[in-house]
Amino acid sequence: MARPDVNRSGEIEVFVRVVEAGSFSAAARRLRMTPSAVSKLIARLETRLGARLVSRSTRKLQLTPEGTAFYDSGVRVLADIDKAEREAAAGAAPRGRLRVNSYVPFGQHRLMALLPRFLERYPEISVEAVLTDSVIDLLEERADIAIRAGPLRESRLVARKLGQSRMVVVATPAYLQARGTPLTPGDLGRHNMLAFGFVRYIDGWPFIDTAGAPVMVPIAGTATVSDGEAMRLSALSGAGIARLARWHVEPDIAAGRLVPLLEDFNPGDEEPTHAVYVGQGKHLPARVRAFLDFLAETVRL
């Protein structure tokens, strides 16, 4: 039986935060503790358990098999504590500051339009929204939720899918009149293909040939942009041909401002959108859970 003066839940929470932060120093900053205090607490925990949880042989934090098992169990324990506290406080409204990071097109065309409804529903929550297509570290930026487009990287973050949209190649009627309309993917080499200025998960634009075989066309152009909305605006200005998620440019297509191209060669690939966050199971602040449920209810891509 554990001594009554041992704060086991506190030790578990510090250990879990160390694993999620990736280092003692990063966890210490978030917990408002000193690195030495965090290190001593983990050492005391290992002594009490009689097992090594963390390998200290490298600069990068590495878990032992026992540490991995204890982390997984610790997350479940914290989730149970959180659940018990939420059930004890049943009826309490979600409150506090919610920090949301979103890729630019979603933020401008979906998130900002939905926020008034969310804030009206949850008047005790305030929202801080940051729009960027850069992939941030949620812990470093102290963000509760990040909304990201495209395939997700391997991480300890939890993801909730909000939807997906077919990709489409587009240009303005004026651009096509001046430069000609590409009839096959090979014709794109004679056009200005708008590119992103950051590393993408695919190096080129995918198509299929007349036999249905995959074809990858390298991006060749004279303009790069920082985010999806800048790409859309560049296409609308007549700067070149863009490849974007259909939901993003659907109003422009419907209004005739942009024209879909090479649809017979479109492979039908879709770009997913996820809300990612730190936490497991039900171990989430009420404000975060409320926003995730709200997005799932209202977002249509």
Side-chain angles (χ1 to χ4, degrees):
M1 180 179 295
R3 302 196 318 270
D5 60 333
V6 175
N7 183 0
R8 288 187 292 172
S9 64
E11 289 180 343
I12 291 172
E13 182 164 14
V14 170
F15 177 72
V16 168
R17 301 305 169 230
V18 165
V19 175
E20 291 176 345
S23 71
F24 288 165
S25 58
R29 288 194 297 271
R30 291 163 180 75
L31 294 167
R32 297 185 179 181
M33 299 171 63
T34 64
S36 62
V38 171
S39 180
K40 289 178 181 177
L41 187 148
I42 299 301
R44 188 165 64 246
L45 174 62
E46 290 176 324
T47 298
R48 184 166 63 81
L49 297 176
R52 177 62 61 87
L53 303 177
V54 179
S55 173
R56 294 169 175 79
S57 59
T58 63
R59 291 187 178 183
K60 183 178 180 181
L61 185 146
Q62 291 182 331
L63 294 180
T64 64
E66 292 80 9
T68 299
F70 190 75
Y71 168 78
D72 292 337
S73 297
V75 168
R76 290 194 295 270
V77 168
L78 293 177
D80 288 341
I81 293 174
D82 182 69
K83 179 182 178 182
E85 290 179 344
R86 285 189 291 107
E87 289 178 349
R95 59 174 56 86
R97 178 174 292 276
L98 181 73
R99 295 178 174 86
V100 181
N101 179 281
S102 172
Y103 70 101
V104 178
F106 184 93
Q108 291 189 344
H109 294 274
R110 291 290 190 274
L111 179 62
M112 303 314 293
L114 292 173
L115 279 183
R117 290 172 56 189
F118 176 76
L119 294 173
E120 183 179 5
R121 184 181 298 183
Y122 298 102
E124 294 187 64
I125 295 179
S126 62
V127 176
E128 178 184 330
V130 176
L131 309 187
T132 174
D133 274 17
S134 298
V135 177
I136 67 158
D137 183 320
L138 268 70
L139 293 172
E140 287 289 342
E141 299 295 330
R142 297 190 176 185
D144 294 302
I145 297 172
I147 302 172
R148 295 177 177 168
L152 298 176
R153 301 174 181 176
E154 288 288 334
S155 73
R156 292 188 179 275
L157 297 176
V158 182
R160 184 165 181 175
K161 190 173 183 179
L162 301 179
Q164 59 190 35
S165 182
R166 184 171 176 269
M167 303 299 292
V168 63
V169 175
V170 293
T172 62
Y175 173 90
L176 298 174
Q177 184 176 5
R179 298 286 297 271
T181 300
L183 300 178
T184 70
D187 293 339
L188 290 172
R190 298 190 293 273
H191 287 269
N192 195 31
M193 300 167 66
L194 302 175
F196 288 107
F198 52 86
V199 177
R200 300 286 286 174
Y201 60 93
I202 54 173
D203 186 19
W205 292 358
F207 294 95
I208 54 174
D209 61 21
T210 54
V215 176
M216 186 67 70
V217 176
I219 300 174
T222 59
T224 59
V225 297
S226 62
D227 58 73
E229 182 62 8
M231 175 76 74
R232 169 181 168 269
L233 294 175
S234 294
L236 286 170
S237 74
I241 299 177
R243 186 173 188 268
L244 293 162
R246 180 92 187 195
W247 75 265
H248 188 185
V249 292
E250 188 66 48
D252 300 312
I253 293 173
R257 293 186 293 267
L258 291 174
V259 178
L261 303 173
L262 303 170
E263 283 294 271
D264 289 342
F265 303 93
N266 193 322
D269 59 316
E270 296 183 321
E271 181 179 74
T273 292
H274 293 89
V276 298
Y277 53 96
V278 178
Q280 296 284 344
K282 296 185 178 180
H283 186 56
L284 284 175
R287 67 185 187 282
V288 175
R289 181 170 300 282
F291 192 68
L292 289 170
D293 291 342
F294 177 80
L295 290 176
E297 172 192 334
T298 57
V299 171
R300 298 292 180 267
L301 296 179

